[in-house]
Amino acid sequence: MATGQNIDCTQVAIDVICEFLEVAIHSILYIRNLYPAAIFEKRRMYNASVAMSIHPQLNDYIQSCLGDLRTVLFTRALDKVVIAILDSHRKAIEKYVFEILLPESGEI
């Protein structure tokens, strides 16, 4: 399938990883009841129903984190992302670890 356009595999992989992590973050926040259920709405992603926040400040924060993550992913200086839920003493009570393996640089 030739489209006349080169597709950067790394760019596509980073886009997919960031989109997946966005859904994962929202899902963790919802399922673990870390924010009120009223700030989430159901959406379809990956052929499944997922809860996504509709709270502007929370969404801005998540997007800011993902933007920073995207920048680091391009340097290939990252091999995993850890999302930790802390208790009131800032001790991790749950951790979600996402291992990252980017394809070799190149275009298809």
Side-chain angles (χ1 to χ4, degrees), residues 6-34:
N6 292 329
I7 299 171
D8 182 348
C9 292
T10 303
Q11 174 70 49
V12 172
I14 289 171
D15 290 345
V16 170
I17 289 167
C18 288
E19 180 181 73
F20 171 80
L21 287 173
E22 179 182 14
V23 172
I25 291 166
H26 285 270
S27 295
I28 291 166
L29 296 177
Y30 176 75
I31 291 168
R32 301 305 301 138
N33 295 310
L34 298 173

Side-chain angles (χ1 to χ4, degrees), residues 24-59:
I25 291 166
H26 285 270
S27 295
I28 291 166
L29 296 177
Y30 176 75
I31 291 168
R32 301 305 301 138
N33 295 310
L34 298 173
Y35 287 89
I39 72 161
F40 293 90
E41 68 181 14
K42 295 291 184 177
R43 296 189 190 153
R44 295 290 292 175
M45 294 291 287
Y46 309 114
N47 204 28
S49 179
V50 296
M52 300 289 284
S53 164
I54 57 171
H55 192 279
Q57 288 90 1
L58 177 58
N59 293 348

